[in-house]
Each structure stands twice: as C-alpha cells, then as structure tokens.
C-alpha cells in the first residue's frame, strides 16, 4: 500500500491518494504520523482518492478500529469535510461503512463518492 499526500494550502485541501492492497494497521500508523506532522493543518478538508486501492483484505473490525483512531485524532474545527472516492462495489460498501460509523461518532461531514469530480464539487460547496 502506498499513500501519497499533497497539501494545497490555498484551497485548504489535503489530497490523499491510496494505491495497492490496503493494510489497515499500516494506514492507522501513517495517519497517526500525519496527524502529528508539522505539515498537518487540522482545518483543511481532505479528499481520499482510493480508486486505485484494493480493499480485499479489509474487515469490518478494521474499519471500526480505523474509525476510532480518526475520531480521536482528527481536529475539532467546525465545517471541515472529508470526501472518500471508491469505485468498486466492495470498496464503496466498506467506505460507506466507515462513513456511517465516523458520521455517527462525530459531527464531521464525510461522504463517499464513486468519482473524483463529484467529490471535488462537494468539497468546494
């Protein structure tokens, strides 16, 4: 699994591109490192492009552990949004599970999309 991060301070947007087979413990570790990085700006929206990621090894229990980590680490600023893009049916279903879990546990706006254009449009609103 590879995660590439690009930060656009002018747009207040962090783009996370995930490719390869998703390893949730590794993803949690990398997110923890990001949240403690000097480059991390908690008031930014985030676009997770997972259209090239493989979700075949992700379990519902791992989704819950990821959600708990993000719930505790993601900044508390109001109005911050997260858009996730997953194109396959399994991928979309697992990211929807994450969306619903995190949305129920926080006041964050998080939505899953099947394409980048719709995600970018929603983030810009």
């Amino acid at each position: 699994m590879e995660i590439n991060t690009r930060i656009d301070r002018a747009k207040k947007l962090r783009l996370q591109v995930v490719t390869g087979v998703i390893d949730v413990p590794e993803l949690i570790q990398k997110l923890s490192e990001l949240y403690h990085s000097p480059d991390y700006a908690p008031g930014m929206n985030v676009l997770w492009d997972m259209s090239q990621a493989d979700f075949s090894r992700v379990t519902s229990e791992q989704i819950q552990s990821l959600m708990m980590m993000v719930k505790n680490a993601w900044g508390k600023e109001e109005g911050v949004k997260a858009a996730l893009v997953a194109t396959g049916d399994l991928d979309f279903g697992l990211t929807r599970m994450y969306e619903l879990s995190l949305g129920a546990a926080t006041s964050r706006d998080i939505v899953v999309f099947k394409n980048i254009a719709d995600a970018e449009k929603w983030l810009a609103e």
Side-chain angles (χ1 to χ4, degrees):
M1 175 183 74
E2 186 175 332
I3 302 174
N4 291 309
T5 302
R6 286 179 282 189
I7 296 175
D8 185 335
R9 293 201 184 275
K11 291 183 179 179
K12 296 184 179 179
L13 179 68
R14 187 177 77 243
L15 173 63
Q16 307 277 158
V17 180
V18 181
T19 56
V21 178
I22 293 179
D23 179 314
V24 173
E26 181 182 358
L27 180 58
I28 289 171
Q29 176 188 350
K30 287 184 177 188
L31 274 175
S32 180
E33 291 168 4
L34 173 68
Y35 289 142
H36 294 94
S37 162
D39 293 331
Y40 176 65
M44 287 188 164
N45 291 332
V46 62
L47 172 56
W48 283 91
D49 179 357
M50 300 183 180
S51 58
Q52 299 301 311
D54 178 348
F55 286 75
S56 63
R57 296 186 187 160
V58 177
T59 67
S60 58
E61 292 82 15
Q62 289 176 325
I63 294 289
Q64 289 303 309
S65 64
L66 175 63
M67 184 277 299
M68 290 303 295
M69 180 271 178
V70 171
K71 174 188 168 209
N72 293 324
W74 197 9
K76 308 293 186 225
E77 291 74 18
E78 292 295 320
V80 177
K81 300 183 200 178
L84 290 78
V85 177
T87 55
D89 291 338
L90 170 66
D91 311 345
F92 189 81
L94 286 169
T95 52
R96 280 281 293 146
M97 183 188 309
Y98 175 80
E99 170 194 3
L100 295 171
S101 296
L102 188 59
T106 70
S107 61
R108 294 289 184 217
D109 287 330
I110 179 170
V111 178
V112 178
F113 297 90
K114 286 207 169 197
N115 65 68
I116 293 283
D118 289 344
E120 289 176 315
K121 181 180 176 184
W122 178 75
L123 286 170
E125 292 174 351

